[in-house]
Amino acid sequence: NAGVMQNPRHLVRRRGQEARLRCSPMKGHSHVYWYRQLPEEGLKFMVYLQKENIIDESGMPKERFSAEFPKEGPSILRIQQVVRGDSAAYFCASSNSPGLSQETQYFGPGTRLLVL
Amino acid sequence: GNSVTQMEGPVTLSEEAFLTINCTYTATGYPSLFWYVQYPGEGLQLLLKATKADDKGSNKGFEATYRKETTSFHLEKGSVQVSDSAVYFCALGNDYKLSFGAGTTVTVRA
């Protein structure tokens, strides 16, 4: 029973390039959450998606960041025109129930993004 | 807003030593509190949780008590093993949003 998969595990981009981070939830899970961990800080909520819908994107930066969770395939976190301040670890979590489900969020290993 | 502050690391201990990691929080409403653990190369795993004041969460010899009066949720283990070496995150949850501390790296030496 595979857990939450994220790829790539490490990603290096130059300023101005695009970064695409992928998250495959656990089998049967239709709820995905993205978190970001900046250096020396805790994980911060970014966005909550269900299949084909964004439920809450209150933690997403207003510009350059977008997320999707299509009917088929993994969830994608996309960062356009990356800047050095985007360097962080990005974690994905999934759950099989909506709403008050924080205790059942299963986390992936994270993608470490480094912007040169 | 919600925030979590936990003891800075790294923490290095000998096997069978007592471990405590301090965690305090600021929150609106009545959040649930959690400890997550991340072993090298793996995702965060839920270690234990408490959903209301005075609740004690426990798992694998680890314990933490939800103290509303001191807004704390300190993690303790009486006798650590080498296999407990990991990064530990304190977190609080309101609805589906989790807010995490910065993590504490613990290394246990044989």
Side-chain angles (χ1 to χ4, degrees):
Chain A
N1 186 15
V4 179
M5 309 288 284
Q6 288 187 250
N7 68 80
R9 296 290 300 277
H10 299 273
L11 182 61
V12 180
R13 284 288 178 267
R14 297 190 181 280
R15 281 178 297 169
Q17 291 183 320
E18 179 179 285
R20 282 184 177 240
L21 287 62
R22 294 173 183 77
C23 170
S24 296
M26 286 183 69
K27 186 177 182 180
H29 286 189
S30 59
H31 304 264
V32 167
Y33 316 80
W34 286 93
Y35 293 83
R36 177 170 67 172
Q37 184 180 28
L38 294 170
E40 308 303 321
E41 295 185 16
L43 285 74
K44 297 289 195 300
F45 169 83
M46 299 181 75
V47 61
Y48 164 33
L49 309 104
Q50 293 182 29
K51 281 287 187 181
E52 301 184 274
N53 291 303
I54 296 174
I55 306 303
D56 181 349
E57 56 181 348
S58 59
M60 289 274 274
K62 294 291 186 280
E63 298 178 349
R64 300 188 297 106
F65 284 71
S66 62
E68 64 177 9
F69 188 17
K71 186 176 180 181
E72 301 292 337
S75 175
I76 305 288
L77 181 67
R78 182 183 179 201
I79 311 172
Q80 295 178 291
Q81 299 176 321
V82 295
V83 301
R84 285 191 177 144
D86 297 332
S87 296
Y90 293 82
F91 290 92
C92 168
S94 73
S95 71
N96 63 0
S97 56
L100 293 169
S101 62
Q102 60 266 37
E103 64 265 39
T104 57
Q105 288 185 24
Y106 294 87
F107 281 81
T111 293
R112 272 74 176 171
L113 172 65
L114 175 63
V115 180
L116 302 177
Chain B
N2 297 334
S3 68
V4 176
T5 303
Q6 65 180 98
M7 188 173 83
E8 291 186 15
V11 174
T12 302
L13 302 165
S14 297
E15 228 174 1
E16 300 183 3
F18 182 84
L19 170 68
T20 182
I21 304 176
N22 290 339
C23 171
T24 58
Y25 67 90
T26 303
T28 55
Y30 303 95
S32 296
L33 300 175
F34 306 86
W35 277 98
Y36 280 81
V37 59
Q38 185 178 32
Y39 298 104
E42 299 182 12
L44 279 74
Q45 301 174 25
L46 179 64
L47 180 60
L48 54 85
K49 64 179 173 75
T51 57
K52 61 183 187 296
D54 299 325
D55 267 3
K56 177 187 282 188
S58 61
N59 185 27
K60 299 181 181 179
F62 290 90
E63 292 184 342
T65 301
Y66 190 160
R67 301 286 188 199
K68 190 176 179 182
E69 65 276 13
T70 55
T71 63
S72 65
F73 193 54
H74 305 321
L75 182 68
E76 297 181 337
K77 185 172 185 179
S79 177
V80 294
Q81 305 300 315
V82 173
S83 57
D84 293 324
S85 298
V87 182
Y88 292 83
F89 294 90
C90 184
L92 68 83
N94 268 320
D95 201 358
Y96 47 76
K97 293 181 185 177
L98 289 165
S99 298
F100 289 84
T104 302
T105 300
V106 174
T107 302
V108 180
R109 293 180 174 169

